[in-house]
Amino acid sequence: SERVKSLFNVESGANFDLDADLPIDDKDWSIGVVVGPSGSGKSSIGKALWKGKALYKPEWEKRVPIIDSITPNGDFNTVTSALASVGLGSVPAWLRPYEVLSNGEQFRADLAKVICERPEQVVIDEFSSVVDRQIATIGAGAFQKAYRRTGGQAVLLTCHYDVLEWLEPDWVYDTATGEFLRGCLWRRPKIEMQIHQTNWQFWPTFEPHHYLKLPHMIAATNYVATVNGELVAHVAFSTRPGLVEARACRLVVMPEWQGAGVGLKFLNAICEMWRQGKNRYDKPMPTLFHTSHPGLCAVLRRHPKWTQVSANLYGGSKRKSRLSISASTKKKTGKQINSAGFGGHFRAVQGFRYIGDGGVE
């Protein structure tokens, strides 16, 4: 160190002076951001806020799935809702320990932990610093919506200016300029989504992110959503016998877009198309949608364009399914087959019907 001091005429690297006035003592705000380049004093400000007691340091159990570790004694619905609200809606990811998650998944898991723990005051350092900017911006938008519902106050420290519009903060302090801004100055950018009718050709891209492994739906019409040419979401539609109703299945939103709200808007748009008869049958049909995803169930249950029509704890009779398939095959081909059948699973499934703006059934 003495050689460095003599070469560069520097006596010490331990001295750092920062004078920042943040008028944030009131309770009339939810999210504030301290932004600026590295080494400009963001962490020092964070340590000074609320006497240094609010700096967030998440603790995760090793080799324990995050669904069990996020809040060990927490309510299951609260935990899954928090994970979904910050865009970590991938069920396989819930079953992985924190240490094996990707950087993007860890980023969202930490945010979900904050939502579950609901601290009155929290400071999060290095916000979005180690993740892809697409995940950072979408994750920031998802977090701010979920955190505001907790009623707490969060200060986020970041060197990235691209998250400001997505966070829609109540105030921002820029350490590079010393400027403090407060008010509704930032608005989330609009997401322009295009919908394309297709077939199963894009399903291999989405399939790894779906929580079930099933064969293709028979006579399905597939749809994908894109943003600036990038694949964002997928869903498949088929019909019930007699063309009395459509069935929507295989809804998947790519991980980097989860939490942006595109999935439900995508599904609603296609359901509305089918309700108006804009399908290959030129026939108006309501849409039935089944899911086991607790976060999606909660969203559909409170959405005015959907009504819940069923809730089953387990699948139907496997024996009945086997006999039905065998009888149908024998009638069509004259051959007797031994089918395994479907059903008998212990997977809670909830059913919803899209009713659009027509009111409650």
Side-chain angles (χ1 to χ4, degrees):
S1 64
E2 294 300 324
R3 184 175 181 181
V4 172
K5 291 179 182 179
S6 63
L7 283 172
F8 297 98
N9 195 28
V10 176
E11 288 300 320
S12 173
N15 298 327
F16 177 78
D17 295 321
L18 176 67
D19 184 14
D21 181 21
L22 304 184
I24 57 173
D25 292 333
D26 61 292
K27 297 291 184 179
D28 193 25
W29 60 272
S30 295
I31 294 179
V33 178
V34 179
V35 64
S38 296
S40 61
K42 299 186 300 297
S43 296
S44 297
I45 292 175
K47 293 175 182 177
L49 292 172
W50 296 304
K51 300 180 180 180
K53 297 179 180 179
L55 197 61
Y56 191 64
K57 297 179 180 179
E59 296 181 358
W60 294 89
E61 297 180 71
K62 291 187 176 181
R63 297 185 294 277
V64 176
I66 61 170
I67 192 69
D68 296 325
S69 178
I70 188 169
T71 49
N73 298 317
D75 175 69
F76 176 78
N77 290 329
T78 301
V79 171
T80 56
S81 176
L83 288 166
S85 70
V86 297
L88 190 56
S90 174
V91 174
W94 296 355
L95 302 177
R96 300 182 193 126
Y98 179 82
E99 61 269 21
V100 304
L101 297 177
S102 68
N103 286 341
E105 290 170 336
Q106 289 184 349
F107 168 64
R108 294 180 188 249
D110 287 339
L111 297 183
K113 196 171 181 65
V114 174
I115 301 299
C116 287
E117 294 177 354
R118 303 173 69 91
E120 291 185 10
Q121 298 167 329
V122 63
V123 177
I124 302 178
D125 200 358
E126 299 294 345
F127 182 82
S128 80
S129 293
V130 297
V131 295
D132 172 83
R133 302 322 303 159
Q134 170 70 23
I135 293 176
T137 52
I138 298 298
F143 172 73
Q144 67 90 9
K145 287 191 296 183
Y147 186 78
R148 290 182 191 278
R149 291 194 289 266
T150 70
Q153 292 181 311
V155 176
L156 312 178
L157 315 179
T158 181
C159 58
H160 296 284
Y161 290 81
D162 59 353
V163 297
L164 293 181
E165 292 180 316
W166 295 87
L167 287 170
E168 300 183 82
D170 301 300
W171 59 262
V172 170
Y173 179 74
D174 191 336
T175 57
T177 63
E179 187 177 23
F180 179 86
L181 298 173
R182 186 162 182 169
C184 302
L185 305 177
W186 300 269
R187 284 291 177 266
R188 195 189 84 165
K190 289 185 178 180
I191 299 175
E192 298 291 339
M193 181 172 60
Q194 292 78 42
I195 296 176
H196 311 272
Q197 182 175 320
T198 180
N199 51 30
W200 291 100
Q201 63 176 310
F202 297 108
W203 179 239
T205 301
F206 294 93
E207 186 176 16
H209 308 291
H210 194 261
Y211 61 94
L212 294 177
K213 302 300 179 185
L214 295 171
H216 293 173
M217 297 165 61
I218 297 174
T221 302
N222 301 65
Y223 299 89
V224 294
T226 61
V227 175
N228 296 326
E230 179 183 350
L231 289 172
V232 171
H234 171 279
V235 73
F237 272 60
S238 64
T239 59
R240 297 182 66 186
L243 300 180
V244 296
E245 192 169 39
R247 290 180 59 247
C249 295
R250 312 297 195 277
L251 176 65
V252 178
V253 178
M254 295 299 285
E256 57 269 27
W257 287 93
Q258 292 178 12
V262 296
L264 187 58
K265 290 181 179 179
F266 170 59
L267 178 62
N268 284 351
I270 301 172
C271 288
E272 184 61 28
M273 288 167 51
W274 279 69
R275 193 178 75 88
Q276 295 179 12
K278 297 177 182 178
N279 50 55
R280 62 179 176 175
Y281 306 102
D282 293 324
K283 182 178 180 179
M285 294 183 223
T287 299
L288 193 64
F289 181 73
H290 289 90
T291 181
S292 297
H293 197 294
L296 185 54
C297 287
V299 171
L300 293 176
R301 198 175 295 118
R302 62 175 179 260
H303 199 285
K305 294 187 177 182
W306 290 86
T307 184
Q308 186 163 5
V309 295
S310 65
N312 298 315
L313 182 60
Y314 50 85
S317 170
K318 193 170 186 178
R319 179 176 180 274
K320 183 178 179 180
S321 172
R322 182 174 64 250
L323 294 175
S324 176
I325 293 174
S326 297
S328 177
T329 303
K330 185 176 181 180
K331 182 178 179 180
K332 291 180 179 179
T333 66
K335 298 179 181 179
Q336 183 71 39
I337 65 166
N338 293 320
S339 170
F342 299 97
H345 52 76
F346 287 93
R347 178 172 61 87
V349 179
Q350 300 185 51
F352 300 85
R353 179 173 287 116
Y354 179 82
I355 57 176
D357 296 319
V360 179
E361 287 193 347

